[in-house]
Amino acid sequence: MGKDNNRKKQKVVKEESLEIGMLFKSEFTDEQLERYFNKGTIHPSEKPEMPPQVLWVGDCTIATFGNFSASTGKAKSKKTFNVSAMVAAAIKNGTVLNYKATMPEGKRKIFYFDTEQSRYHCHKVLGRILKLSGQPIDIDSDMITFVGLREYTPSLRLSLIDYALRKSSGYGLVIIDGLRDLMYDINNAKEATDVITMLMAWTSLYNLHIHCVLHLNKNDNNTRGHIGTELENKAETVLVISKNKQTPDISEVRPMHMRDKEFSSFAFHIDENAMPVLEDGYHVTVVKKKEEPLTSLPDETHKEILEKLFDEKQPTSYKELVAEMGDYYAAAGYKRGVNGVKNLLQILTNKNIITRSQNGYDFHPDYLNHVFHNDEDEV
């Protein structure tokens, strides 16, 4: 009986390994296509179970199994302190800061992958998590496995995370502190899609939740690169951690994007023991800064972004051109709404900087000269 169970387990692991491998193939046999088509077909007679909700802020769900979420913020905003509190809540199966966790039996273990910090600093983060969760800080805990991936290449980091998930059991929460470091080029659309697809595959195949950490752009409040755009589109929850402008020692946590109802923002500070402590009675007032239109950008910025777009793509329809421009400007840190992109495109086409040809749209950089320094062109 034991041998049969082992064989079944090995078969499942092998199938899951093949499943992940399929993500990066471009050609498939009919047998493979039939298998994946059948697996993806949804029947009215099905009764899929609602995925377990595992993390909350107040009564607002921020994490469920089968999904991924993210914390984002600028450098030194205390993102890792915030994630430490989240992980400690999961270990306790209780509340830390404003995070409340209920991890189901058999899925209470946690993987923490750090791609940025040295072994010394990773050890400090692990100690903080154990202390916050009430665990001994000098004894190995079977509740959390902390892995430093700083010295590895992006492809090896991805493979190591995949290997750990394939070979392990009982894990319900996975932290990837440094999502950007799983790819070589943060603005590469294919790489970004591949990484996000891996996150979705892992959460689905292994029935767990992944929480990632990604930086915001230095010059604005957008997540970085194509990976940031994909993350916002696919994540269950995106949290923003930022320094309070009046009191920089205080960090604020607010929802950027949530599928569930949004929680009320809260704040914390770091005490003399280097532990995050909730700011009781503190109310975060969020004032959204009005974004400058794309037409306020200098000509050189437009030229750089549009040359990259038209070097890599040749949109054949107006709808495709608007979508691609939105993605490329967002990847460069200038995420704007569809109307803002259309307004910019109207000026570019009126001045023959972008023209329509038989094969699609073309870009003429030589015509882009002091175009957006004329008041009558401002939108």
Side-chain angles (χ1 to χ4, degrees):
M1 183 67 72
K3 289 183 178 179
D4 289 340
N5 287 335
N6 285 335
R7 287 195 194 99
K8 287 180 181 178
K9 186 175 181 180
Q10 288 171 358
K11 183 180 178 183
V12 170
V13 168
K14 185 177 180 182
E15 287 180 353
E16 289 171 345
S17 178
L18 290 172
E19 193 102 25
I20 294 293
M22 287 295 171
L23 296 175
F24 302 104
K25 293 187 63 168
S26 56
E27 295 182 2
F28 305 91
T29 65
D30 283 354
E31 183 181 357
Q32 290 168 335
L33 291 172
E34 180 72 14
R35 177 187 169 203
Y36 284 96
F37 181 85
N38 290 335
K39 186 175 180 180
T41 302
I42 299 171
H43 303 281
S45 57
E46 291 180 47
K47 293 184 179 178
E49 293 184 4
M50 182 178 290
Q53 300 173 332
V54 295
L55 277 171
W56 292 264
V57 174
D59 62 347
C60 302
T61 305
I62 64 170
T64 59
F65 277 2
N67 283 301
F68 68 93
S69 59
S71 291
T72 186
K74 299 191 177 179
K76 311 301 180 185
S77 61
K78 303 295 190 292
K79 295 185 295 295
T80 300
F81 280 90
N82 179 68
V83 173
S84 297
M86 191 183 296
V87 174
I91 292 175
K92 280 181 66 173
N93 244 11
T95 301
V96 177
L97 284 188
N98 266 13
Y99 296 110
K100 180 179 68 175
T102 306
M103 305 295 291
E105 285 300 321
K107 300 287 288 185
R108 290 196 55 195
K109 294 182 181 179
I110 298 159
F111 266 127
Y112 195 122
F113 297 100
D114 188 291
T115 67
E116 296 182 351
Q117 300 189 94
S118 67
R119 193 174 188 89
Y120 171 80
H121 287 99
C122 285
H123 185 266
K124 286 184 69 173
V125 174
L126 175 58
R128 181 193 310 136
I129 291 169
L130 293 173
K131 189 171 182 179
L132 283 169
S133 61
Q135 302 281 318
I137 64 172
D138 55 353
I139 300 175
D140 285 349
S141 170
D142 59 2
M143 295 294 294
I144 181 170
T145 303
F146 200 115
V147 185
L149 303 176
R150 183 187 190 188
E151 62 266 41
Y152 303 133
T153 63
S155 56
L156 180 53
R157 291 174 185 135
L158 271 172
S159 296
L160 286 170
I161 295 172
D162 183 50
Y163 172 81
L165 296 178
R166 276 193 291 115
K167 295 294 185 179
S168 307
S169 61
Y171 286 83
L173 178 62
V174 177
I175 306 296
I176 302 176
D177 194 343
L179 183 66
R180 181 265 174 274
D181 296 318
L182 299 188
M183 55 194 304
Y184 289 88
D185 179 359
I186 196 169
N187 288 318
N188 185 293
K190 182 184 182 305
E191 267 199 287
T193 300
D194 286 347
V195 169
I196 294 298
T197 302
M198 288 289 278
L199 297 181
M200 293 189 290
W202 286 331
T203 56
S204 177
L205 283 172
Y206 304 118
N207 191 32
L208 46 76
H209 186 87
I210 296 177
H211 186 82
C212 311
V213 179
L214 182 68
H215 292 295
L216 287 175
N217 287 323
K218 291 180 180 179
N219 300 324
D220 57 33
N221 292 320
N222 294 317
T223 47
R224 292 182 63 195
H226 271 291
I227 189 67
T229 302
E230 283 294 301
L231 187 75
E232 289 184 40
N233 289 337
K234 301 294 195 311
E236 177 178 29
T237 302
V238 180
L239 308 177
V240 179
I241 296 85
S242 58
K243 288 183 178 181
N244 177 265
K245 291 182 179 178
Q246 284 73 41
T247 313
D249 291 339
I250 293 175
S251 292
E252 303 170 346
V253 182
R254 61 180 175 84
M256 173 189 285
H257 161 78
M258 290 184 66
R259 289 183 192 168
D260 195 45
K261 65 178 180 179
E262 293 190 354
F263 61 84
S264 298
S265 302
F266 65 92
F268 64 90
H269 68 271
I270 308 304
D271 69 9
E272 63 276 8
N273 298 313
M275 294 289 117
V277 177
L278 189 67
E279 283 285 319
D280 288 325
Y282 187 85
H283 299 285
V284 178
T285 301
V286 179
V287 178
K288 291 193 86 174
K289 183 181 178 182
K290 186 177 180 181
E291 292 178 326
E292 294 293 327
L294 292 175
T295 50
S296 68
L297 299 175
D299 292 337
E300 282 305 311
T301 300
H302 290 293
K303 185 176 180 181
E304 182 180 339
I305 295 170
L306 293 171
E307 281 186 335
K308 181 175 175 62
L309 190 164
F310 283 90
D311 281 346
E312 298 175 357
K313 306 281 180 69
Q314 185 174 31
T316 57
S317 69
Y318 177 78
K319 183 178 179 181
E320 182 186 357
L321 178 58
V322 170
E324 294 291 358
M325 284 179 62
D327 287 346
Y328 275 77
Y329 274 88
Y334 307 104
K335 184 175 181 180
R336 300 293 186 270
V338 174
N339 288 337
V341 176
K342 288 181 177 179
N343 289 337
L344 171 64
L345 180 55
Q346 182 177 359
I347 293 174
L348 294 172
T349 53
N350 286 345
K351 300 215 175 257
N352 293 320
I353 297 166
I354 292 179
T355 59
R356 181 74 185 266
S357 65
Q358 188 174 358
N359 297 323
Y361 285 89
D362 299 305
F363 173 53
H364 307 282
D366 292 342
Y367 290 179
L368 190 56
N369 185 24
H370 299 292
V371 171
F372 297 103
H373 297 281
N374 188 337
D375 291 339
E376 68 181 17
D377 288 335
E378 293 297 332
V379 179

